[in-house]
Amino acid sequence: MKFDYLIIGQGLAGTLLVHALRKRGKSCMVLDNPEQPKASEVAAGVINPVVFRRLTKSWLIDELYLQLLSTYAELEHEFGTRLFYPLQIKKVLGKGENEFWRKKVADDKLQNYLLQEPEPISSPYIEAPFGVGTVIQSGRVDLSQLIESMRQQLQSENCIRFEKVAWNKLTLQENRVIYQDLEAQKVIFCEGHAVSQNPFFKNLQFKHTKGEMLRIKTTTYNENFILNKAMFLMPEGEQYYRLGATYDWNDLSTTPQEHARIELTEKLSTFFTGTYEVVDHQAGIRPTTHDRRPVLGLHPHFPQLGIFNGLGSKGTMLGPYFARQFARFLCDEDQAIQPEVNINRYFPERK
């Protein structure tokens, strides 16, 4: 069976790259390891165009935002289901932060993304005596629905197999790769944190992070915005909310930990007084590089092999833009890969 590309892994990165390549008329076969938990299926999918810690725009957000709107709209049309939910983010402000908020919005010209004036909040279940700052170009992507919709489409076309790839069984020839009964021009690895065990990419410097999240149900609170104060409380509908997330660079298991549940609920109690019950507790490993930039491109020594990885905690924003850039590069559309994300940054001789 011949395909243009073998895509290894069908998380967010693999899903978006398949979409970008198929738009250009390329055929893809996906090999997805059913035993590997996917960070994408745990992640909340928050779209936040600013960095609250410094109150600055996220890297490349002007370009990223336009592309993510376009890509998720295309996928919604293709799958006939809703994926992107515009939602304001309300950032709970501390004492003295109001003026800082106003000044940063004005000085850094952030009016496209933030309301300049902090505002009070009316919910009786939120303690915000100094008001909230509002993010207006924000929301969430239903990542579980996105990945499942792509999986169903690929299954209907016999273009996905659920198996773990044995790297030592890849046969690299001059202009093609053979794996079992499959032949392709190139293999692109989109395998999330499992890339750390991939022998072809030992030069890459990953610094994966574990994130844990709670799903809660409340019968008292019913607000349709994302609340943020050192964590987020995000509505999912029918009085369910996502609460997250933690960051752990040491424990890279996908087992939820009680101390993480306590950390999240204690943080929530500092500003939220509604009653709720915890209905689910999940953990995932964010694929993150040492410089917090994605990594994409073709292997300098094995050009039959490529990688699209390292989307990290901002994957829903970064993914559409860089999937399109990589697909255009692969399809010879006179598209270079930006140096900040190019795999060549890990190979000094190729910089």
Side-chain angles (χ1 to χ4, degrees):
M1 297 177 64
K2 294 185 178 181
F3 295 86
D4 294 314
Y5 296 96
L6 292 184
I7 307 295
I8 311 302
Q10 199 246 315
L12 176 62
T15 294
L16 292 173
L17 186 59
V18 166
H19 172 68
L21 287 168
R22 283 159 62 114
K23 273 187 67 177
R24 287 158 177 78
K26 301 300 181 181
S27 59
C28 300
M29 167 61 80
V30 176
L31 301 180
D32 188 59
N33 181 0
E35 299 177 0
Q36 180 190 328
K38 294 176 177 58
S40 309
E41 295 179 332
V42 176
V46 173
I47 301 290
N48 181 6
V50 297
V51 179
F52 282 136
R53 187 172 60 254
R54 301 186 299 273
L55 204 58
T56 56
K57 289 197 293 186
S58 287
W59 178 62
L60 288 180
I61 189 58
D62 295 337
E63 294 87 348
L64 299 182
Y65 195 77
L66 292 174
Q67 186 59 51
L68 73 87
L69 289 178
S70 172
T71 296
Y72 294 128
E74 291 170 358
L75 288 162
E76 286 181 331
H77 178 74
E78 181 176 346
F79 299 141
T81 187
R82 190 174 183 187
L83 300 171
F84 177 59
Y85 295 80
L87 294 169
Q88 291 185 347
I89 299 176
K90 305 286 188 180
K91 168 67 173 173
V92 177
L93 300 176
K95 185 177 181 180
E97 289 185 331
N98 299 55
E99 190 54 39
F100 174 74
W101 182 279
R102 292 188 187 96
K103 181 174 173 53
K104 287 290 286 184
V105 173
D107 292 352
D108 294 353
K109 297 180 173 59
L110 300 175
Q111 291 89 344
N112 285 343
Y113 300 105
L114 306 176
L115 295 183
Q116 185 165 354
E117 284 299 317
E119 55 189 0
I121 199 159
S122 59
S123 173
Y125 304 107
I126 300 172
E127 295 183 350
F130 306 105
V132 296
T134 301
V135 185
I136 52 177
Q137 301 284 10
S138 50
R140 75 175 180 94
V141 177
D142 189 335
L143 293 178
S144 294
Q145 183 63 59
L146 169 62
I147 292 167
E148 179 60 26
S149 295
M150 177 62 82
R151 181 179 297 130
Q152 289 179 7
Q153 184 177 88
L154 291 170
Q155 283 182 291
S156 71
E157 300 169 0
N158 294 317
C159 289
I160 187 169
R161 293 182 181 178
F162 300 101
E163 60 183 84
K164 182 178 180 180
V165 171
W167 297 298
N168 62 346
K169 293 184 179 179
L170 284 167
T171 301
L172 307 186
Q173 299 183 355
E174 185 175 358
N175 294 309
R176 63 177 183 169
V177 181
I178 296 174
Y179 182 74
Q180 298 176 354
D181 62 329
L182 303 173
E183 178 182 324
Q185 296 174 14
K186 299 184 188 301
V187 177
I188 311 296
F189 291 93
C190 305
E191 52 196 335
H193 71 277
V195 70
S196 294
Q197 283 74 53
N198 191 318
F200 294 109
F201 298 104
K202 291 182 177 179
N203 278 46
L204 278 59
Q205 299 173 37
F206 284 96
K207 192 176 182 181
H208 303 309
T209 55
K210 180 177 183 177
E212 299 194 41
M213 191 173 305
L214 303 179
R215 192 170 190 238
I216 67 172
K217 184 175 184 180
T218 172
T219 57
T220 56
Y221 179 73
N222 188 25
E223 300 289 351
N224 194 36
F225 52 75
I226 301 171
L227 195 61
N228 182 285
K229 185 184 178 184
M231 56 177 292
F232 62 82
L233 181 66
M234 184 190 76
E236 290 189 315
E238 299 180 346
Q239 295 184 299
Y240 287 96
Y241 291 79
R242 287 283 194 100
L243 176 62
T246 62
Y247 287 80
D248 190 333
W249 288 268
N250 298 311
D251 173 18
L252 295 183
S253 73
T254 55
T255 304
Q257 299 294 327
E258 177 65 12
H259 68 81
R261 185 192 68 81
I262 293 171
E263 176 187 339
L264 290 170
T265 54
E266 285 184 347
K267 284 183 177 179
L268 183 63
S269 69
T270 64
F271 62 90
F272 181 75
T273 60
T275 58
Y276 65 91
E277 62 173 323
V278 177
V279 296
D280 197 12
H281 182 183
Q282 296 177 301
I285 309 301
R286 306 177 186 92
T288 312
T289 60
H290 79 291
D291 55 7
R292 298 186 179 182
R293 297 287 184 256
V295 56
L296 50 142
L298 298 178
H299 196 293
H301 307 309
F302 306 104
Q304 309 94 324
L305 306 179
I307 187 170
F308 183 41
N309 207 313
L311 295 179
S313 60
K314 294 184 181 292
T316 46
M317 298 194 301
L318 295 165
Y321 180 83
F322 286 109
R324 178 177 182 269
Q325 185 175 116
F326 194 19
R328 290 183 61 192
F329 170 82
L330 291 170
C331 297
D332 297 319
E333 294 181 11
D334 194 28
Q335 173 70 65
I337 297 175
Q338 292 177 220
E340 299 100 320
V341 303
N342 199 314
I343 188 177
N344 288 343
R345 71 189 192 271
Y346 293 108
F347 294 85
E349 72 277 12
R350 297 298 295 269
K351 283 185 177 181

